[in-house]
Amino acid sequence: MLVFEKVRWKNILSTGNVFTEVQLNRSPNTLIVGDNGSGKSTILDALCYVLFSRPFRKVTKKQLVNSVNQKGASIEVEFSVGTKKYKVIRSIKTYGSQPFEIYVDGNLINQTGDSKDYQEMLETTILKLNFKSFTQIVILGNSNFIPFMQLSGPQRREIIEDLLDIKIFSAMNTLLKDQVNENKTKLTEIKYHIELIKDKISIQKKFIDEVKQTNTDKVDSNNAEIEKSKATILNAQKKIENLDGQIKELLESTKEQNPLQNKLGKITAMEESLERKIKTLKKDIEFYDKHDECPTCNQTITEEIKSTNKNQKNKKIVEVQEALKELEIKYQETNKKVEHVLNISKLVTSKQTEHSTESANISALNNYIGKLNDENTNLSTDRQDIGKENQKLANLTKQMTDGRIQQETLTKEKSLYEVASMMLKDQGIKTKIIKQYVPIINKLVNKYLAQMDFFVNFELDENFVEVIKSRHRDEFTYDSFSEGEKMRIDLALLFTWRTIARMKNSTNTNLLIMDEVFDASLDVSGCEEFLKLIHEMGGDQNCFVITHKGDLLQDKFFSSIRFEKHKNFSRIAA
């Protein structure tokens, strides 16, 4: 239970630089009286501002600070929740940050960097009340109070959810929306990821097939070239073997070349010797023709000697010429043999050249085969690389499987979120809980209406739409009634909410403050019935009634507080 104990303030509205303090648990009911403008309603603004950082009435923060002192505005409230004692202090500055402190059992609660988070902690964790619920359950003011029946449907629902402590479902729904959005994002991402993996797998398969086909075709082509080259080499080797035989055989025929050339040289030398001999013989004959005596011994050469010597020499010339003819014949025969041998040598050279060409072709083809084999080896290495590409394909396939598993998980999560979302919506589990309390709410409202001598049948449905039946069971709406009757309905709802809060122990509090209720629309009978309700509230409740009709109600309350103006500042009269 939230038990308010004390509130004190200074430099607020017409209050001066001395704290005004009100003991909030002083008695079951207290009458607050004073003339108009004496500051008796300041307690409402002080409580709302210190707890929710906003005044009860429609005044600005600047207007809330005392216009004379214009500084030092401060409000303190003390309350307990269970065994813990709390104290909240909030000061007001016309500019800059607003000092705000929360103490529990005398220790300051660490302040977060953001005052909004600090305020949210106060409302949700400690008070378990927000401003709207506070002004429906704790404060009933005549100035700017908006009765429950004049609130919109969502605003009514918010207050009821606070009372029934089911706002947790709204918070869960908010969190769920974030999870749904995150799930949706992840599903979109995983779908895109899966489609991307599909494309990668398709490209990888195509690449592997192309590499395999290219390698196979190239290896087959290389093998065909190797076989063709081997066949060519085999033919060349056979040709070389034939050439080796032919060259060997021809070389046997050229063994006589040197002897024949030597013989031809000798014949040539002999011919030259014989020709020189003929020239010498002819020269000797010419000597006998031109000389009659010997130039050496000066003896006369006779004709007989000349004739004899000339005949001998001519005969010798004939013999030599015959020898030359024989030598010429031998020379021609030998020369023919030499030419034949030279032709054979040329043929040998041609065969040897052909042999060298074939050998070079064999060497080139062997190199070519070696290159083709090396290329096939590299292609085999490429096949090993295809193994790596297959591993890449396997990894992509695993990623696809993992992605589908993740997609399936996210899809299941999505289904669960959809079910949870249906449960957490306003028409879900909250409506079922509210339906259970609607009959209790209606029963309590009608009970309090009857206690205030207003006999109508008031009903709210789960959407908080009212149906009011009166007279001959005619149906009415809230706006169909007079202001006094509306006030009775508002008061009945106020007491109903407090009773429900006490039953739920959610926003159960000891404090109730009503501002000028008796000065508004209630008639004498309504006031009497209302006073009965106040007195029947119980010993743990502390009700404060603010009015300027103190003289008429003074004897009907356990205690009273009078506010007055002293030197233009409000204070509690002694």
Side-chain angles (χ1 to χ4, degrees), residues 65-79:
V65 178
N66 181 272
S67 60
V68 177
N69 296 329
Q70 296 184 354
K71 63 180 180 178
S74 180
I75 311 170
E76 300 176 8
V77 64
E78 296 180 19
F79 57 89

Side-chain angles (χ1 to χ4, degrees), residues 446 449 454-458 468-471 473 481 489:
N446 286 299
L449 286 172
F454 186 36
F455 297 97
V456 294
N457 184 27
F458 181 95
I468 307 173
K469 294 184 179 180
S470 179
R471 298 175 187 165
R473 316 309 291 172
F481 295 98
I489 294 174

Side-chain angles (χ1 to χ4, degrees), residues 130-137 144-160 162-163 460 463-466 478-479 490 493 497:
N130 57 28
F131 179 80
K132 194 171 293 182
S133 299
F134 186 79
T135 55
Q136 288 289 326
I137 298 170
N144 65 335
F145 168 71
I146 302 176
F148 180 83
M149 297 306 301
Q150 294 182 25
L151 296 174
S152 64
Q155 290 173 329
R156 293 181 183 184
R157 175 175 287 275
E158 183 180 351
I159 291 172
I160 297 299
D162 274 339
L163 285 171
L460 288 174
N463 295 317
F464 311 110
V465 177
E466 78 276 10
Y478 175 80
D479 292 325
D490 295 338
L493 285 168
W497 302 148

